[in-house]
């Protein structure tokens, strides 16, 4: 009996030992054995360099071998060149973790994301307890929130807009961030009924603008124009966002919105210049302004004043003449009083009135004053205002001159020219562009029948831009684009004349008039200029007299 009891106790002891060993192996490597955590600030600034410290400790009694740490930065983190967002540190860099041992490893990167966005870093440490084959792992994460970004970004938009009228919105931005913002992207989601017409600066797309760099204490404005249609009292909301382009990712930093209510239009104001709705002025032009105002509301207007304020350095203000209007030279305004203009005295529903004035554009405009020249006329009637901008065409000219005595080619042959003998001459073209950038500029001229090209061109690099059609006898100099601010381009080429017997005693044409043309990139008009032809008298060459131009 005793043996049976003893045997039973031995069996129970073995069972308990085995169960205890199994339980110990299953639980000794629980999450509490290896404690791992990430230490970092809970709130961060955009582009702030954050240090993540991974701290881990062996709280057990067994050595942990072959450790491997994987750390993952938050999405879009900017790292040093060559570093990956996911860092894997293996056993070759990490040594065994002894009981009670505590270690730390730090990782640094600049945080990128939107205002209020949660950015999460992750860490995972795997290991193998001594004398055991299975690998265990412990993981953790840490979330930081991007605080208020010190970048001002808002939409400036009137709260009420008349239906069908021009809407002007501005995206204003300013950076007080201690880090340069690069590859900025501005986007606007327009409401239904809005039609984009233009913006300054020009957009990448109708609702998207790109800016390469914005430093601290720098800012700017994007001005958008369009028309908003809809029913009276409709509410429309403009949404805008500011982001950056990082690698192939678009990251939104800030968002803003502004609502507008559509109201009933009451007075429509528009103008014409020299009978044109889209007139582009030239230096020296006399401009006839006609300002129209039409009652499109439901009630008549009475006892109105109309004010026109001229703005621009290119008006000749001394030339202003206004019929029935009073011009004030101190603030450059013209005022029409209802006592002098019947349509201002009473304007019924659907009726239209008009006032007019004359002013000249200055002829001699300093090209250094500006670029993309324009004239502005701000008109206001009955608390309704419109600003009209009239663009000024560039002045594109060509000067054609001819010489026998010159330092370019060194001409030969008799002067005066003689029948049957060849005389060479140098022709120079000087193209000059004053105010706006010009695209696809060309100079053209025709050669008479008995004039030939010698092939000499200066400077030589212009040879590839110089062509001659032997059938039409037209010379073309393809200048290409010419920048503003009084830019000058020049070319010289040599021609040869051999007078015929029938031309004895005559003055001969060497080259016909030169004509320059190009597209004004500001006004989008085709601009032209001309210079007279040249004969053998060579009026620009002091060494040649009128008598020297007569064929002998």
């Amino acid at each position: 009996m005793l043996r049976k009891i003893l045997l039973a106790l031995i069996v129970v002891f073995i069972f308990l030992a085995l169960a205890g060993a199994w339980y110990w192996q299953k639980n000794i490597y629980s999450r509490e054995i290896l404690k791992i955590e990430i230490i970092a600030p809970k709130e961060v600034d955009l582009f702030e360099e954050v240090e993540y410290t991974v701290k881990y400790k062996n709280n057990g009694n067994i050595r942990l071998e072959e450790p491997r740490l994987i750390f993952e930065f938050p999405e879009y983190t900017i790292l040093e060149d060559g570093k990956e967002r996911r860092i894997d540190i293996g056993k070759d860099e990490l040594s065994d973790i002894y009981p009670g041992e505590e270690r730390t490893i730090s990782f640094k990167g600049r945080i990128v994301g939107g205002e209020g966005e949660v950015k999460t870093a992750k860490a995972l440490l795997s290991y193998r307890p001594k004398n055991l084959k299975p690998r265990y792992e412990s993981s953790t994460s840490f979330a930081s929130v991007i605080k208020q970004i010190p970048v001002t970004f808002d939409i400036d938009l009137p709260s009420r807009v008349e239906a069908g009228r021009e809407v002007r919105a501005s995206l204003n931005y300013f950076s007080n961030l201690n880090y340069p913002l690069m590859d900025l992207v501005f986007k606007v989601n327009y409401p239904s009924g809005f039609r984009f017409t233009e913006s300054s600066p020009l957009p990448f797309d109708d609702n998207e603008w790109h800016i390469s760099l914005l430093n601290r204490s720098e800012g700017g404005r994007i001005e958008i124009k369009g028309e908003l249609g809809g029913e009276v009292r409709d509410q429309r909301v403009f949404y805008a966002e500011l982001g950056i382009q990082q690698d192939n990712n678009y990251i939104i930093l800030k968002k803003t919105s502004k609502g507008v209510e559509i109201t009933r239009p009451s007075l429509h104001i528009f103008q014409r210049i020299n009978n044109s709705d889209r007139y582009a002025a030239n230096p020296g032009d006399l401009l006839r302004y006609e300002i129209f105002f039409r009652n499109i509301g439901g009630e008549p207007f009475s006892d109105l004043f109309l004010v026109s304020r001229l703005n621009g350095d290119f008006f000749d203000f001394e030339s202003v003449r206004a019929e029935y209007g009073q011009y004030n030279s101190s603030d450059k305004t013209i005022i029409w009083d209802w006592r002098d203009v019947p349509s201002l005295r009473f304007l019924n529903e659907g009726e239209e009135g008009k006032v007019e004035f004359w002013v000249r554009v200055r002829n001699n405009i300093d090209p250094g004053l500006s670029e993309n020249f324009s004239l502005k006329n701000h008109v206001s009637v009955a608390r309704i205002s419109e600003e009209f901008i009239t663009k000024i065409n560039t002045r594109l000219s060509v000067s054609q001159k001819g010489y026998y005595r010159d330092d370019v080619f060194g001409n030969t042959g008799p002067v005066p020219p003689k029948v049957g003998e060849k005389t060479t001459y140098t022709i120079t073209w000087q193209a000059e562009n004053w105010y706006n950038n010009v695209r696809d500029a060309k100079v053209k001229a025709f050669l008479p029948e008995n004039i030939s090209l010698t092939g000499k061109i200066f400077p030589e690099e212009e040879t590839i831009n110089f062509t001659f059609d032997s059938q039409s006898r037209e010379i073309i100099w393809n200048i290409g684009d010419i920048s503003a601010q009084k830019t000058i381009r020049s070319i010289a080429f040599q021609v040869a004349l051999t007078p015929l017997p029938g031309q004895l005693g005559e003055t001969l044409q060497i080259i016909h008039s030169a004509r320059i043309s190009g597209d004004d990139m500001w006004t989008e008009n085709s601009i032209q200029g001309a210079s007279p032809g040249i004969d053998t008298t060579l009026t620009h060459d002091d060494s040649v007299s009128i008598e020297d131009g007569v064929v002998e």
Side-chain angles (χ1 to χ4, degrees):
M1 184 68 180
L2 183 60
R3 284 184 65 185
K4 290 183 179 181
I5 294 173
L6 183 59
L7 182 61
L9 289 174
I10 293 173
V11 170
V12 171
F13 178 80
I14 293 173
F15 175 80
L16 292 174
L18 292 174
W22 176 84
Y23 179 82
W24 179 77
Q25 288 190 0
K26 293 294 290 182
N27 293 277
I28 194 68
Y29 303 111
S30 67
R31 184 181 180 88
E32 298 300 318
I33 294 301
L34 181 72
K35 182 181 179 182
I36 183 171
E37 62 179 325
I38 299 175
I39 301 172
K42 293 183 178 180
E43 291 186 333
V44 297
D45 292 326
L46 176 66
F47 290 114
E48 178 184 352
E49 187 178 62
V50 175
E51 182 177 15
Y52 292 94
T53 301
V54 178
K55 179 180 178 182
Y56 56 94
K57 181 179 181 182
N58 184 353
N59 290 319
N61 297 317
I62 297 177
R63 187 174 72 206
L64 306 179
E65 300 176 341
E66 300 176 7
R68 179 187 178 191
L69 175 64
I70 297 175
F71 179 80
E72 188 173 312
F73 284 97
E75 192 176 24
Y76 306 131
T77 301
I78 298 176
L79 305 173
E80 295 179 3
D81 291 343
K83 286 192 175 181
E84 299 290 337
R85 192 166 70 88
R86 188 175 187 269
I87 299 175
D88 192 340
I89 304 176
K91 62 180 181 179
D92 294 336
E93 298 177 68
L94 296 177
S95 58
D96 295 346
I97 311 170
Y98 287 85
E101 186 177 9
E102 181 180 276
R103 298 179 189 166
T104 60
I105 301 179
S106 296
F107 306 88
K108 292 183 179 181
R110 292 190 181 275
I111 301 302
V112 181
E115 190 174 76
E117 187 176 351
V118 176
K119 309 300 290 187
T120 302
K122 300 176 183 178
L124 182 147
L125 183 64
S126 64
Y127 54 89
R128 183 178 60 79
K130 180 183 179 182
N131 297 326
L132 292 180
K133 291 183 178 180
R135 289 188 67 82
Y136 293 80
E137 62 183 35
S138 298
S139 61
T140 188
S141 62
F142 188 88
S144 300
V145 179
I146 297 180
K147 295 187 295 185
Q148 183 177 5
I149 298 176
V151 176
T152 302
F153 177 59
D154 61 61
I155 301 178
D156 187 8
L157 184 72
S159 58
R160 305 180 72 200
V161 175
E162 294 181 1
R165 298 293 298 279
E166 183 182 76
V167 178
R168 298 188 179 193
S170 296
L171 297 181
N172 301 315
Y173 57 93
F174 177 82
S175 175
N176 203 26
L177 194 67
N178 291 321
Y179 194 83
L181 288 169
M182 303 181 69
D183 298 325
L184 272 76
V185 179
F186 297 84
K187 292 185 180 180
V188 178
N189 292 323
Y190 301 123
S192 61
F194 180 82
R195 185 179 68 86
F196 172 88
T197 55
E198 63 177 311
S199 72
S200 177
L202 294 175
F204 175 80
D205 198 356
D206 284 353
N207 70 329
E208 185 173 323
W209 294 260
H210 292 182
I211 294 177
S212 59
L213 177 65
L214 184 66
N215 289 309
R216 183 179 183 182
S217 300
E218 289 183 352
R221 174 178 298 167
I222 298 172
E223 296 182 336
I224 304 169
K225 294 181 183 179
E227 294 178 358
L228 184 61
E231 299 296 327
V232 175
R233 298 187 184 280
D234 279 356
Q235 302 287 331
R236 297 285 190 268
V237 180
F238 289 74
Y239 296 94
E241 59 189 39
L242 166 63
I244 57 173
Q245 197 73 35
Q246 181 177 309
D247 298 327
N248 294 321
N249 301 306
Y250 171 64
I251 306 167
I252 300 175
L253 302 182
K254 278 204 163 188
K255 294 182 177 181
T256 186
S257 62
K258 183 70 179 292
V260 60
E261 180 183 1
I262 298 177
T263 62
R264 185 185 302 277
S266 54
L267 197 66
H268 179 46
I269 305 171
F270 61 99
Q271 76 171 22
R272 289 190 187 129
I273 299 177
N274 294 351
N275 297 319
S276 173
D277 294 327
R278 296 177 60 86
Y279 188 79
N282 297 297
D285 273 1
L286 177 62
L287 307 180
R288 179 196 177 203
Y289 277 82
E290 295 176 284
I291 302 174
F292 298 87
F293 46 96
R294 181 184 301 142
N295 185 351
I296 55 176
E299 298 179 357
F301 286 95
S302 60
D303 300 343
L304 298 174
F305 291 89
L306 188 149
V307 180
S308 172
R309 177 176 287 106
L310 304 179
N311 184 12
D313 295 324
F314 317 117
F315 281 114
D316 180 2
F317 291 107
E318 294 183 359
S319 67
V320 174
R321 292 188 295 111
E323 189 174 21
Y324 305 117
Q326 301 296 319
Y327 173 62
N328 187 339
S329 60
S330 61
D331 59 3
K332 310 299 186 293
T333 60
I334 308 171
I335 300 175
W336 286 267
D337 194 309
W338 59 269
R339 299 176 183 85
D340 303 317
V341 181
S343 55
L344 292 174
R345 186 178 307 122
F346 185 82
L347 191 68
N348 210 343
E349 300 173 37
E351 289 185 348
E352 180 179 282
K354 182 186 78 170
V355 296
E356 58 185 21
F357 66 94
W358 290 260
V359 64
R360 190 175 292 278
V361 184
R362 286 170 49 191
N363 192 41
N364 297 316
I365 301 174
D366 182 359
L369 288 176
S370 178
E371 186 174 328
N372 296 339
F373 292 76
S374 62
L375 308 168
K376 294 181 180 180
N377 181 26
H378 185 90
V379 179
S380 59
V381 188
R383 298 185 303 277
I384 299 172
S385 299
E386 290 283 359
E387 185 174 71
F388 303 98
I389 297 177
T390 302
K391 297 179 179 180
I392 299 179
N393 290 318
T394 190
R395 176 176 287 167
L396 186 64
S397 64
V398 60
S399 173
Q400 177 173 252
K401 297 180 180 181
Y403 300 93
Y404 179 78
R405 303 288 182 190
D406 78 318
D407 297 327
V408 182
F409 304 121
N411 293 297
T412 60
V415 175
K418 294 183 179 181
V419 172
E421 297 186 33
K422 182 171 72 174
T423 302
T424 62
Y425 302 94
T426 298
I427 304 298
T428 65
W429 284 347
Q430 181 173 283
E432 192 168 2
N433 179 42
W434 289 65
Y435 308 129
N436 311 321
N437 293 334
V438 169
R439 179 176 53 239
D440 195 24
K442 296 181 178 68
V443 178
K444 300 179 180 181
F446 289 94
L447 290 181
E449 288 294 334
N450 58 331
I451 301 293
S452 61
L453 292 169
T454 67
K456 292 184 178 181
I457 298 173
F458 180 83
E460 291 185 3
E461 55 264 28
E462 289 294 341
T463 302
I464 60 174
N465 301 318
F466 189 88
T467 62
F468 175 63
D469 183 354
S470 57
Q471 294 297 319
S472 65
R473 304 198 57 76
E474 185 178 40
I475 297 174
I476 301 176
W477 177 31
N478 288 293
I479 304 174
D481 296 347
I482 310 179
S483 61
Q485 305 296 327
K486 199 176 181 181
T487 299
I488 299 174
R489 298 282 296 276
S490 301
I491 191 173
F493 54 94
Q494 190 182 60
V495 298
L497 165 65
T498 304
L500 302 174
Q503 296 174 327
L504 182 65
E506 295 182 3
T507 298
L508 301 184
Q509 194 78 14
I510 297 176
I511 189 169
H512 295 293
S513 63
R515 306 171 314 283
I516 189 170
S517 63
D519 297 327
D520 190 315
M521 297 175 69
W522 167 237
T523 65
E524 299 181 350
N525 287 336
S526 178
I527 310 299
Q528 298 181 352
S531 185
I534 297 171
D535 59 30
T536 50
T537 60
L538 300 178
T539 57
H540 299 102
D541 190 336
D542 295 336
S543 69
V544 178
S545 65
I546 295 178
E547 292 77 11
D548 290 335
V550 180
V551 177
E552 295 181 346

